Amino acid sequence: MVSGFPNLFPKNALRGDDVRLECFAWGTNDLVYKWSKVGGTLPRNTRVADQGRVLNIPNIQLEDRGTYQCIVTRKQGQSASGQVTVSLAASPYFSNFNTEFTDQFADRDTDVQWKCDASGDPAVEYKWYRNSDVLIAALLNADQAARYAWNAPNNNILTISKVMAADEAMYQCAATNLHGTKYVTGQLKVYGFKPIFTKSPLSDRYAVIGGNATFTCSPEASPSAQITWLKNGVDVNPVENPDARVQRVGGSNLFIKTIEQNDQGKYTCFAKNSFGEARSEAQLTILDRPRFQQLPLDEDIGFNRTQMLRCRGNPGPILDVVYVWKHNTRIINLEGNPELNPPDPNYERGVGTRDGYLIIKNTTFATGGDYSCVFTTPVSELSWPLNVKIYAPATSTLSMEVDNLNPWTSYNFRVRAQNEVGWGEPSGVSNQVTTPTRAPDVVPLNVGGGGGKVGTLVIAWNRIPPVKQFGPGISYKVYYRRLGGSETDWEEKIPPKGNINRHVETLGATDNNIYKQFEVKVKAYNDVGDGPESPKETIYSAEGLPNERPQNVRVEQFNMTALRVFWIPVPDTVDTMKGVLAGYRISYWKTTENQNLALRKTYYGQRRSGIITGLRPKTMYYISVQVFNTAGNGDFAEQFPQETLRPSPRNMPEDAKVYAATQTSVKLTWRGVSTTPNEEPLTGYMVRYWKGSETIHKNIIITVGRKTYAEITGLEPGETYNFRVMGYSRGGNGKMSSPMITIYMIKDACEQGYHLRTTDNRVTVRCSSCLHMVSYSLVSLIMMYHILERYL
């Protein structure tokens, strides 16, 4: 084993580095290298190279520390071994599974906690920040000191007790050791408001004697509300006992089982917290139990016939009803999806008052068997069985009733027969028949709206397609009322006739009409009559212009062509925005120009800063900010004057040279640049380098301050690299040195062809640990001397 091996590169490795272990031995015949880890196994991502002599450990981790052994063996059996210890340090890092530090949304007077759990070697120390300011006990006021606490001695857990609105902020935890600092960030948002039922009011319920009923009470509240249930104004006192008849379930919901007649009445959910109270009411109505009005009967049906099986229930005047038919216990698919789950072609459902009927088409012996009609309402389910037998009739003239045709539509018909072998050819086309007109039976879809000019209410819907218009003169009626209004508050408007899809109602540009919630519905009508009303939908009237503007606008220099703008955001509330905040617009113009020539940069959403670019260097600008919504822009904030920085260095570093230091490093030197009074003072230099097989976009950048040299390490033997140098200042980056320097890093100890091209056209050859700098001009002089000596 050669002295000094096995060896480790780099010597002082950090977690995440690519580590290389090298082993080298002298000997005759073939040598076999084998690596192992003393007291453990090699990391899973290790790779061997150079016939096993090199062990590469990419992205090394702390658990990979330890002693590694290299054993070199000849085929005859002689062997030698050596060991090298890998010691690692680590800058702070957070585990991928560290999910305890996130944004927090808390009710007022509750407790929140952040845990900052970082690893590192040496051990990390923790520091906390609030809105970028250091957060320590000594800087807290008396109230905060009583509610803010850190665990000792680690200081990595922050607990805030009884949070309040003043605690809302951006919190950061910084984990630091001598190798660096890492941050995690979380925002605290504190909520506090009285209970509201806007999104989830109680809904009326229907039940039958002996059935069950559930009222769901889920108001929005912060902190959570205490729930009390009343019936006709009297406390119900539900209990959390599954055996009780009147129970509290899910924390706030009311469940009544084995319904009795005296359970009918008005039920109230009363919600209360420290900010106030609210209530929502709903009616429980006890209905007669649904029953069959027309029972299905057993049928004997001829082969290849169409037959209707009659079934009708009496659900009462209120309840919806659904009919399900089963054949030999299998549910018959009567609707389905034509592409994913097509309906059964042998059956159809009746229409209108016959929606409980089942039509069997083109009967075969397979369509015989046991059927059942299932009559279902929200409060009960009834079923009645029947049997269908199929017989083969004598030849006769057949007829059938064709249902489910569209009114005001022309049809032609063809007929074909089927036996056990298959289908015959279709008949000729019948004469054309047009069905009678009738009023539409579908509602306009996608009723909604919103937006529009200030003081208007825009109502929109989908047009009724021609196939569903059922007669001439299709038009629409629209209805609206303010959210929460009574049935008598509905306003009816009849837009101009025609198949339109939009109506704009003028309300007036008063505060009472700007961005308010309205309930709307639409129905279609034709020359025959009116169709059904669509379900009511809630929309907003048009927004108004914002009545507040951003405050405390300030501007900082970013570089010679950009400025960073900061402001205090406008609260995104209905009172301030007259609607919903859409974003901010930054206007900027030269102080020598009129504001009418201002350019504008738009940012969407709530924010507190932005960057404007494309500016002229060393030029004074006015900057102002305004908030906007769909109605338009708010007022401009106060103007802020700011001058852009002077330009970056115009001159590039010259006479850049590169010298080989080792097989994996080079040294660069260059002549520095000087700046003029019209340029920002030089801050320093940066070197950009990248592999010849890659683009400059994958370059690595190192900064060296104001030094005019740099040593680049970690280069790979056998790779070509490109190098360029440039100066930089607060105004930005200067020009890169030219021409670009390209070098090739040799692989072996002596390899002709280690070339680098520089401005004086020198060639560097690395051989046997020596560097010989040979000048072409010197070689030419020596050759001329020998020629003259021979002939003179």
Side-chain angles (χ1 to χ4, degrees):
M1 185 75 67
V2 176
S3 176
F5 288 91
N7 208 345
L8 166 69
F9 305 95
K11 296 293 186 185
N12 300 314
L14 292 176
R15 171 187 171 273
D17 286 348
D18 293 340
V19 171
R20 187 178 78 258
L21 307 180
E22 290 193 6
C23 184
F24 190 67
W26 297 112
T28 59
N29 298 326
D30 293 336
L31 299 180
V32 178
Y33 293 85
K34 183 177 181 181
W35 289 91
S36 62
K37 183 179 181 184
V38 178
T41 58
L42 292 175
R44 294 182 59 183
N45 61 338
T46 55
R47 299 290 185 271
V48 293
D50 199 3
Q51 298 179 345
R53 188 180 67 80
V54 177
L55 180 70
N56 292 307
I57 310 177
N59 190 25
I60 195 166
Q61 301 298 310
L62 293 180
E63 58 267 24
D64 299 334
R65 292 180 293 191
T67 300
Y68 289 77
Q69 180 172 264
C70 173
I71 300 177
V72 186
T73 306
R74 280 197 310 204
K75 286 188 176 181
Q76 287 78 4
Q78 296 91 336
S79 64
S81 65
Q83 295 182 343
V84 60
T85 298
V86 177
S87 300
L88 289 179
S91 59
Y93 64 96
F94 294 93
S95 166
N96 292 334
F97 302 100
N98 179 34
T99 59
E100 300 184 50
F101 207 105
T102 59
D103 293 342
Q104 302 241 25
F105 304 91
D107 293 337
R108 203 176 77 168
D109 293 330
T110 60
D111 298 342
V112 299
Q113 185 180 86
W114 272 297
K115 184 177 181 182
C116 185
D117 193 4
S119 301
D121 192 346
V124 301
E125 296 180 352
Y126 298 94
K127 186 178 291 186
W128 292 82
Y129 297 86
R130 184 178 186 271
N131 288 339
S132 301
D133 297 326
V134 175
L135 184 63
I136 57 176
L139 300 179
L140 300 177
N141 59 37
D143 173 70
Q144 292 173 329
R147 297 185 297 107
Y148 286 58
W150 292 266
N151 67 315
N154 292 338
N155 198 42
N156 70 323
I157 299 178
L158 169 62
T159 302
I160 307 176
S161 304
K162 297 185 179 301
V163 295
M164 56 183 60
D167 296 322
E168 286 191 346
M170 190 70 72
Y171 291 83
Q172 284 183 304
C173 171
T176 304
N177 66 9
L178 61 86
H179 297 295
T181 301
K182 288 292 177 65
Y183 297 86
V184 286
T185 303
Q187 185 177 17
L188 175 60
K189 196 76 174 176
V190 179
Y191 295 110
F193 54 89
K194 73 174 188 178
I196 54 176
F197 285 91
T198 304
K199 292 185 178 180
S200 54
L202 259 64
S203 300
D204 292 341
R205 292 287 184 265
Y206 302 96
V208 297
I209 300 296
N212 302 325
T214 301
F215 287 100
T216 300
C217 180
S218 55
E220 295 180 279
S222 180
S224 299
Q226 295 181 341
I227 302 298
T228 302
W229 281 97
L230 307 173
K231 176 195 170 188
N232 297 331
V234 179
D235 197 336
V236 176
N237 293 321
V239 297
E240 295 183 354
N241 181 353
D243 296 328
R245 198 178 72 83
V246 181
Q247 305 173 23
R248 182 188 293 269
V249 295
S252 60
N253 303 324
L254 179 67
F255 174 69
I256 307 173
K257 66 180 183 180
T258 317
I259 291 289
E260 301 172 354
Q261 185 62 45
N262 59 8
D263 289 324
Q264 180 167 296
K266 180 177 291 185
Y267 287 79
T268 303
C269 175
F270 179 77
K272 181 178 181 180
N273 67 8
S274 57
F275 286 91
E277 59 190 42
R279 65 181 63 209
S280 182
E281 297 178 340
Q283 180 73 29
L284 175 61
T285 303
I286 310 302
L287 304 175
D288 293 335
R289 185 175 293 277
R291 65 186 186 278
F292 276 109
Q293 183 175 344
Q294 184 178 20
L295 292 174
L297 303 175
D298 293 344
E299 298 280 357
D300 291 339
I301 308 171
F303 189 87
N304 197 26
R305 297 288 299 274
T306 295
Q307 181 69 31
M308 183 177 293
L309 305 182
R310 294 167 173 78
C311 179
R312 183 181 300 166
N314 182 7
I318 297 176
L319 297 178
D320 294 328
V321 61
V322 175
Y323 293 94
V324 175
W325 281 89
K326 296 181 180 180
H327 177 217
N328 294 332
T329 72
R330 180 183 63 86
I331 295 177
I332 301 173
N333 183 5
L334 295 174
E335 281 77 27
N337 183 303
E339 295 181 0
L340 302 178
N341 184 25
D344 194 321
N346 296 314
Y347 301 94
E348 287 184 3
R349 182 187 297 281
V351 296
T353 59
R354 300 177 177 181
D355 59 343
Y357 291 13
L358 177 68
I359 301 170
I360 308 177
K361 303 184 299 180
N362 303 321
T363 56
T364 66
F365 294 113
T367 53
D370 294 323
Y371 288 77
S372 59
C373 173
V374 183
F375 164 53
T376 304
T377 68
V379 298
S380 67
E381 179 177 292
L382 302 175
S383 177
W384 193 267
L386 69 151
N387 182 263
V388 172
K389 295 179 180 178
I390 306 299
Y391 64 90
T395 302
S396 61
T397 300
L398 301 178
S399 64
M400 67 173 293
E401 180 180 275
V402 181
D403 293 325
N404 293 331
L405 300 181
N406 287 329
W408 199 45
T409 304
S410 296
Y411 291 91
N412 295 98
F413 300 90
R414 303 176 79 175
V415 180
R416 62 177 181 171
Q418 182 196 40
N419 58 21
E420 292 296 321
V421 178
W423 288 96
E425 291 296 322
S427 68
V429 178
S430 71
N431 59 308
Q432 190 174 85
V433 177
T434 301
T435 54
T437 60
R438 77 170 189 219
D441 68 355
V442 295
V443 300
L445 300 178
N446 294 327
V447 175
K453 296 182 179 180
V454 178
T456 63
L457 179 67
V458 177
I459 307 169
W461 60 89
N462 288 357
R463 296 182 176 93
I464 300 294
V467 72
K468 295 294 185 180
Q469 294 175 9
F470 293 176
I474 192 70
S475 300
Y476 300 87
K477 298 178 182 179
V478 299
Y479 303 84
Y480 70 92
R481 69 178 180 187
R482 294 185 184 273
L483 182 66
S486 66
E487 289 299 314
T488 59
D489 292 333
W490 285 105
E491 295 279 347
E492 180 188 77
K493 297 294 178 180
I494 302 178
K497 296 194 70 172
N499 195 17
I500 61 177
N501 64 344
R502 188 171 183 265
H503 174 70
V504 179
E505 183 66 20
T506 301
L507 303 175
T510 62
D511 287 345
N512 192 42
N513 294 326
I514 293 177
Y515 201 64
K516 300 300 181 181
Q517 287 185 296
F518 287 78
E519 293 177 311
V520 299
K521 52 188 180 180
V522 183
K523 71 177 177 181
Y525 69 96
N526 59 21
D527 292 346
V528 179
D530 290 357
E533 292 179 351
S534 68
K536 62 185 178 183
E537 300 289 343
T538 301
I539 64 173
Y540 282 88
S541 58
E543 296 180 342
L545 294 176
N547 62 6
E548 285 195 18
R549 59 183 183 176
Q551 301 294 321
N552 194 25
V553 175
R554 56 190 178 88
V555 183
E556 295 179 359
Q557 296 167 325
F558 189 77
N559 59 32
M560 65 179 179
T561 61
L563 297 172
R564 187 186 293 274
V565 186
F566 302 85
W567 62 86
I568 296 177
V570 174
D572 189 7
T573 64
V574 174
D575 290 336
T576 60
M577 289 304 304
K578 299 298 182 182
V580 177
L581 184 146
Y584 294 86
R585 292 191 169 104
I586 304 173
S587 296
Y588 54 98
W589 65 99
K590 296 178 184 177
T591 55
T592 59
E593 297 176 344
N594 190 288
Q595 186 175 356
N596 294 333
L597 300 176
L599 299 176
R600 190 165 65 184
K601 179 67 177 290
T602 300
Y603 286 97
Y604 293 95
Q606 182 66 284
R607 60 189 300 127
R608 59 181 64 245
S609 66
I611 294 179
I612 51 178
T613 59
L615 309 178
R616 294 184 62 84
K618 194 171 173 52
T619 302
M620 184 68 74
Y621 286 86
Y622 282 127
I623 298 93
S624 186
V625 184
Q626 57 189 157
V627 70
F628 70 92
N629 60 17
T630 58
N633 300 326
D635 293 334
F636 281 103
E638 68 276 14
Q639 298 175 5
F640 192 104
Q642 182 59 278
E643 186 179 44
T644 54
L645 291 168
R646 290 172 287 177
S648 58
R650 288 190 173 93
N651 295 326
M652 64 177 127
E654 297 180 342
D655 198 23
K657 299 181 177 67
V658 59
Y659 301 90
T662 69
Q663 284 182 268
T664 59
S665 64
V666 296
K667 182 177 181 180
L668 280 80
T669 64
W670 58 87
R671 190 167 71 244
V673 300
S674 59
T675 56
T676 68
N678 293 327
E679 302 170 14
E680 287 294 323
L682 182 74
T683 302
Y685 298 91
M686 59 177 65
V687 178
R688 304 176 71 173
Y689 66 97
W690 64 98
K691 292 181 179 180
S693 59
E694 298 175 344
T695 66
I696 193 172
H697 301 293
K698 293 189 177 181
N699 70 95
I700 298 173
I701 298 177
I702 63 171
T703 57
V704 296
R706 296 176 66 89
K707 297 185 298 184
T708 57
Y709 63 91
E711 184 171 351
I712 314 297
T713 62
L715 305 180
E716 297 179 19
E719 284 284 349
T720 299
Y721 288 87
N722 301 319
F723 295 84
R724 301 189 84 166
V725 186
M726 59 184 168
Y728 69 95
S729 66
R730 291 180 62 212
N733 297 336
K735 294 181 180 179
M736 293 189 293
S737 61
S738 180
M740 178 177 66
I741 299 174
T742 302
I743 69 169
Y744 169 77
M745 307 299 296
I746 64 172
K747 291 183 178 180
D748 302 323
C750 186
E751 176 184 348
Q752 299 298 322
Y754 175 89
H755 296 292
L756 84 90
R757 298 198 176 275
T758 58
T759 53
D760 61 353
N761 206 26
R762 290 180 302 175
V763 175
T764 301
V765 180
R766 175 172 177 80
C767 182
S768 301
S769 303
C770 299
L771 291 179
H772 304 287
M773 305 302 294
V774 183
S775 171
Y776 284 143
S777 58
L778 179 59
V779 173
S780 300
L781 286 173
I782 293 172
M783 292 177 64
M784 184 174 292
Y785 173 79
H786 285 291
I787 293 171
L788 292 174
E789 183 181 36
R790 179 174 180 181
Y791 290 100
L792 294 179

